[in-house]
Structures are given as C-alpha cells and as structure tokens.
Amino acid sequence: MIRLTKSTARINPEELALRLCERDAPRSKICDPPPPILYPLSSILHLLLYQSRKRGMLENGLVLSTFAHKYLDGFNEKHLRQYDQLINIPSNDWDIYYWATGVKPVPPQYNNEVMSLLQEFLKNEQREARIRQPDLN
C-alpha cells in the first residue's frame, strides 16, 4: 500500500476531514488529521499509467506513456513516489518536458533516479519508434 500525493488522489479526504473538524469543533478542541489513505499497488499502477497518457500535450503524452509502459511495473515504492510527484506536482507540463530533454536544468526536488532514467530513456539510443502511445492491456 502506497500513499499518493494530494494531486493524485484528486479529492483529498484528509484535508476535507480536517476542515470539517475545524468548522464543527469548539475552538479549544484540537483536530487530528485522519490516517492517510492507502491504495493497493495495482490501483496505483493503473492510475499512474492513465495519468502518464492524459497529459494535455501530445509530447508529454507520448514520452510519459511509453516510459511508464516500459518501466512502471518494475518500480519499487520509492520510485513510484518519485514518478507520482514528477508528473503530478509541477503545474506546467512544458517544464517536465524541458527537464527531461535537458533544455532546462532539473530542480533539486525532481533530480532523482526516476528523472535520470527518464532522461536516459529520451536519448533513445536504440532508435525505437515512439510515435504512438502503447495499448492499454
């Protein structure tokens, strides 16, 4: 079970519960956040694969979907978190593309093993044809 970033979960039940507690509780009561929501690994893999495909710009859709298709199943929990943060936290998809292609320097918070693997993947030294997204199986 892995905890996802707030942006991945779309609806953040932890924040909602905390806000409801603060709204409904007397001022002297301290509201504890609920425990994190954990998702099964298969759900996370499906969600990250979907998010890799639906980027809003064709370039990242192609790059991230082919990358996810090749590597996502072999990622450990640490790498899944890094990938989740990479594709869900930056607000501008062009930044991800420029970091991955080496046009812009990678910020320290995204300069990790997954980014290095993505940059190596984009070099495409085997000259694979990557002109369409992989099929969903």
Side-chain angles (χ1 to χ4, degrees), residues 50-123:
Y50 177 80
Q51 290 174 336
S52 297
R53 297 174 62 87
K54 305 297 181 186
R55 298 306 309 168
M57 61 180 268
L58 180 60
E59 292 85 349
N60 272 1
L62 286 170
V63 166
L64 294 174
S65 67
T66 54
F67 177 79
H69 181 75
K70 185 171 183 176
Y71 292 107
L72 211 55
D73 285 334
F75 278 178
N76 60 28
E77 183 177 331
K78 175 184 169 189
H79 293 138
L80 287 173
R81 279 201 186 108
Q82 290 175 354
Y83 186 68
D84 173 41
Q85 291 171 352
L86 173 65
I87 67 171
N88 287 304
I89 293 180
S91 61
N92 186 348
D93 262 10
W94 281 110
D95 286 339
I96 298 170
Y97 184 78
Y98 290 143
W99 299 333
T101 56
V103 173
K104 288 185 176 179
V106 180
Q109 66 267 31
Y110 302 113
N111 199 3
N112 53 42
E113 294 105 349
V114 171
M115 178 56 80
S116 298
L117 189 60
L118 179 59
Q119 289 172 331
E120 193 64 34
F121 177 77
L122 281 176
K123 290 178 184 175

Side-chain angles (χ1 to χ4, degrees), residues 3 28 95:
R3 182 178 178 188
S28 61
D95 286 339

